[in-house]
Amino acid sequence: MIYFRDVNTGFIVRKPDEGMHLEYTYDDLSNWTQTEPDSSYEREYWFGEGNSCLFDITEEEAIAIISSRSNKLNKSQILFARKCYLFGEDTIYIEIDKNSPIFVYQLKDKKWSKREANRFWDSWDSAPHLYLPISNEEVVKRIYSSDKSFQLADTQVEVSKTKFKTNLENIVEQMVDGIVGKESENPTEREVEIRKNLSGRALEYLMFMDDDD
């Protein structure tokens, strides 16, 4: 049996003596997952393609590495994870592979644990709207950053700002169109100036308008 170490994630990969497939693990000797036929590990081993991340190690080295591991993920493993979800404000679920256990991290208690994949997906199917997909980078930021004041992912805030700006611009354009008509295909400088002034006044009106109005 041949063993490798993924230098990107720390996973241990092996080629069994029988069969035309690879297996990998990231936590213990009894939990080996067979790779999918088109995975990067398969492409690298058989065709020399993929991420060029597999380094040869001995079986003794592989066993020593696996035996010393705890039930938590490092930054690289999180960045290479398949999916990440935020449940409420405190719980992060990390899916490494579709057939592997789900890693769970409690932000408040700073504790790692695992959950069987079937149990997790049963819960997810019953209320998928409660599991907010978040980026791998955001998960690393929340778990490993010393800043404890995270509220929302930066991407969500930016999306909200963009939507608000777009809606506001559409309303302003409609107001200007209602006053001077649709903008012509080849507007004159005079027309551009008029629309610019009207847009500014419409924007001021919207910004200072009471909610009841």
Side-chain angles (χ1 to χ4, degrees), residues 81-136:
R82 187 177 183 184
K83 294 279 187 179
C84 299
Y85 302 92
L86 176 65
F87 183 85
E89 298 181 355
D90 183 55
T91 306
I92 291 177
Y93 292 95
I94 304 171
E95 179 193 7
I96 296 295
D97 183 88
K98 66 180 181 180
N99 298 317
S100 303
I102 304 296
F103 281 81
V104 185
Y105 186 79
Q106 300 292 335
L107 292 168
K108 183 178 180 180
D109 298 330
K110 297 183 179 180
K111 291 183 178 180
W112 284 96
S113 61
K114 286 183 185 177
R115 188 172 182 182
E116 292 181 5
N118 291 339
R119 292 181 59 192
F120 170 77
W121 291 116
D122 286 344
S123 299
W124 192 92
D125 288 339
S126 63
H129 61 283
L130 298 179
Y131 296 85
L132 175 67
I134 58 176
S135 70
N136 300 42

Side-chain angles (χ1 to χ4, degrees), residues 132-164:
L132 175 67
I134 58 176
S135 70
N136 300 42
E137 293 78 9
E138 177 67 16
V139 172
V140 170
K141 187 178 179 182
R142 291 186 179 222
I143 293 176
Y144 288 102
S145 175
S146 59
D147 185 359
K148 302 177 182 179
S149 62
F150 290 114
Q151 299 297 325
L152 293 173
D154 294 339
T155 52
Q156 290 179 301
V157 175
E158 290 304 318
V159 168
S160 297
K161 288 181 179 179
T162 301
K163 288 182 177 179
F164 174 79

Side-chain angles (χ1 to χ4, degrees), residues 10-52:
F11 291 0
I12 302 301
V13 182
R14 71 182 183 185
K15 169 62 180 69
D17 293 332
E18 298 181 359
M20 299 290 290
H21 67 276
L22 302 177
E23 299 172 339
Y24 68 90
T25 188
Y26 43 83
D27 55 358
D28 60 63
L29 291 167
S30 62
N31 185 27
W32 290 91
T33 301
Q34 182 172 326
T35 54
E36 298 179 5
D38 62 342
S39 70
S40 61
Y41 291 155
E42 294 280 350
R43 295 197 304 272
E44 180 172 343
Y45 182 80
W46 298 109
F47 305 111
E49 302 175 350
N51 298 325
S52 299

Side-chain angles (χ1 to χ4, degrees), residues 142-200:
R142 291 186 179 222
I143 293 176
Y144 288 102
S145 175
S146 59
D147 185 359
K148 302 177 182 179
S149 62
F150 290 114
Q151 299 297 325
L152 293 173
D154 294 339
T155 52
Q156 290 179 301
V157 175
E158 290 304 318
V159 168
S160 297
K161 288 181 179 179
T162 301
K163 288 182 177 179
F164 174 79
K165 182 179 179 181
T166 300
N167 291 336
L168 191 59
E169 289 174 348
N170 289 339
I171 295 174
V172 169
E173 184 176 357
Q174 292 174 10
M175 294 175 69
V176 174
D177 289 344
I179 298 173
V180 296
K182 291 283 187 180
E183 184 177 7
S184 59
E185 294 184 1
N186 299 304
T188 63
E189 292 184 2
R190 175 62 177 169
E191 183 180 350
V192 171
E193 186 65 23
I194 291 175
R195 295 184 68 87
K196 181 179 179 180
N197 291 335
L198 287 174
S199 295

